[in-house]
Amino acid sequence: MRYFPIFIDLQDRPVTVVGGTEEALRKVRLLLKTGAVLNIIAPALHEELAAEPRVNWIAKGYHAGLLDGAALVYSADADLNERVAEDAKALGIPVNAVDNPDISTFIVPSIVDRDPVVVAIGTEGTAPILGQGLRARIDAMLPQALGDLATAAAGLRHRVAEAIPPGNRRRSFWYRFFFGDVREAFIAGESCSYLAGVENLFSADAQAPQGRVAFVSLGSEDPELLTIKAQRKLQEADVIVHDRAVPQAVLELARRDAVRMPVKGELYDGATDLLLAEAKAGKLVVRLSSDVSLEETVSVAAEGIAFETVPSVPQPKPAEVIAFPVREDIREDILRAAS
């Protein structure tokens, strides 16, 4: 990864754009979604830029001093790109020269905007069409009301902080809020069902958390062959007890703060003891292995701990090659056409 993804707070901070043409306008349209103060340097302005009240046309001619104090600099003037990039770098200001990543210090990803939820897709400038295609697919997947749901969650944070202690219980509350019936009611505009669902979440959290175990088996080392349910369990897990042979690419699909415990190696020997201890502590434990162990499932069931098994997708067999005989009278024609 050459470019580190980061979100910059531009509220009330100056961003300088060099250029006043269509290229500059495209950047300004995006920046207008932020709270940035927009300063333009250009000999002339596109009519849409000239009509935008938030745009400050600070100069017609460029010099390096005009960049002072800027949080970011965009250069959309092909004749000035290299000069602006050098000046911005000398001042320690991040700079993007439009369509010229070699002299830029940051690039702009494809963006899916559900303010305040923002998804950024980058290809490090190598495949912009791929980035645009991914953006279109993600955009189609995310409901328009998702940002409003996040805003509604912000309004509940104070109450959640007072009622639910930090850690697994609070995380579980928010997971059920964002991915359960409450979300569906909110997106559907069913306000009564939404409010009742929120109250049910608070009531359910008042009860002692019940631990459970999900036995997830791997039929292949290819992470793309994991079932959707298996991926969801990895995202929900508080603890992942896994064979050492499980590929890192599969573990990368898990929630970042999930505790990972390798077994069948010198670090841990008793997978069953780990499953029982963590589940009794009220955690969701995923047992990730090449196959579900009957001994482990029986031990978990004997302790009265809820569990489920998530089967794997088997490794596909290589395609069988079937040879068909070729008539001698046309063999030469085929070989000649292939050469």
Side-chain angles (χ1 to χ4, degrees), residues 119-185:
V119 181
I121 306 105
T123 62
E124 299 196 348
T126 60
I129 297 301
L130 173 61
Q132 292 169 17
L134 292 173
R135 175 194 176 279
R137 293 190 180 191
I138 295 172
D139 194 43
M141 290 170 54
L142 300 183
Q144 292 295 322
L146 190 63
D148 294 333
L149 178 65
T151 301
L156 290 172
R157 288 198 175 278
H158 181 70
R159 180 181 175 189
V160 170
E162 289 186 336
I164 305 173
N168 294 330
R169 287 175 59 187
R170 188 177 296 178
R171 186 185 303 111
S172 176
F173 175 94
W174 287 121
Y175 192 91
R176 287 175 290 161
F177 178 90
F178 285 118
F179 298 103
D181 294 339
V182 170
R183 162 197 160 115
E184 298 306 318

Side-chain angles (χ1 to χ4, degrees), residues 63-133:
H63 62 82
L66 294 170
L67 305 182
D68 278 342
L72 299 175
V73 171
Y74 284 90
S75 182
D77 186 326
D79 295 332
L80 291 172
N81 279 351
E82 291 191 8
R83 182 180 165 193
V84 172
E86 289 179 3
D87 292 341
K89 291 173 187 177
L91 292 168
I93 302 172
V95 59
N96 175 265
V98 176
D99 296 330
N100 202 335
D102 291 339
I103 62 173
S104 302
T105 58
F106 75 93
I107 56 177
V108 181
S110 296
I111 293 174
V112 179
D113 185 9
R114 298 289 187 273
D115 186 32
V117 178
V118 178
V119 181
I121 306 105
T123 62
E124 299 196 348
T126 60
I129 297 301
L130 173 61
Q132 292 169 17

Side-chain angles (χ1 to χ4, degrees), residues 34 175 202 287:
T34 75
Y175 192 91
F202 280 105
R287 175 67 173 103

Side-chain angles (χ1 to χ4, degrees), residues 78-317:
D79 295 332
L80 291 172
N81 279 351
E82 291 191 8
R83 182 180 165 193
V84 172
E86 289 179 3
D87 292 341
K89 291 173 187 177
L91 292 168
I93 302 172
V95 59
N96 175 265
V98 176
D99 296 330
N100 202 335
D102 291 339
I103 62 173
S104 302
T105 58
F106 75 93
I107 56 177
V108 181
S110 296
I111 293 174
V112 179
D113 185 9
R114 298 289 187 273
D115 186 32
V117 178
V118 178
V119 181
I121 306 105
T123 62
E124 299 196 348
T126 60
I129 297 301
L130 173 61
Q132 292 169 17
L134 292 173
R135 175 194 176 279
R137 293 190 180 191
I138 295 172
D139 194 43
M141 290 170 54
L142 300 183
Q144 292 295 322
L146 190 63
D148 294 333
L149 178 65
T151 301
L156 290 172
R157 288 198 175 278
H158 181 70
R159 180 181 175 189
V160 170
E162 289 186 336
I164 305 173
N168 294 330
R169 287 175 59 187
R170 188 177 296 178
R171 186 185 303 111
S172 176
F173 175 94
W174 287 121
Y175 192 91
R176 287 175 290 161
F177 178 90
F178 285 118
F179 298 103
D181 294 339
V182 170
R183 162 197 160 115
E184 298 306 318
F186 185 93
I187 290 173
E190 300 170 355
S191 58
C192 291
S193 296
Y194 163 74
L195 293 173
V198 169
E199 294 307 318
N200 286 338
L201 288 183
F202 280 105
S203 298
D205 186 78
Q207 304 171 10
Q210 300 296 312
R212 57 196 192 280
V213 177
F215 292 93
V216 178
S217 61
L218 298 176
S220 166
E221 294 186 353
D222 186 350
E224 293 189 2
L225 292 180
L226 277 177
T227 63
I228 293 175
K229 186 174 184 180
Q231 294 184 50
R232 187 171 70 248
K233 291 301 175 184
L234 288 173
Q235 282 293 312
E236 295 174 356
D238 301 310
V239 177
I240 300 171
V241 179
H242 65 89
D243 292 352
R244 282 188 175 276
V246 171
Q248 185 63 30
V250 173
L251 293 174
E252 288 291 336
L253 297 175
R255 203 177 74 211
R256 286 186 181 181
D257 57 347
V259 176
R260 292 158 172 79
M261 295 182 171
V263 294
K264 294 184 180 178
E266 53 189 37
L267 183 56
Y268 293 114
D269 292 322
T272 301
D273 292 341
L274 286 173
L275 297 178
L276 297 178
E278 297 297 334
K280 287 179 179 179
K283 299 176 183 177
L284 169 57
V285 185
V286 166
R287 175 67 173 103
L288 190 60
S289 62
S290 58
D291 199 7
V292 175
S293 165
L294 180 59
E295 177 186 349
E296 292 173 7
T297 56
V298 169
S299 298
V300 168
E303 294 290 333
I305 298 171
F307 73 93
E308 62 181 308
T309 59
V310 182
S312 62
V313 175
Q315 176 73 42
K317 296 180 179 179

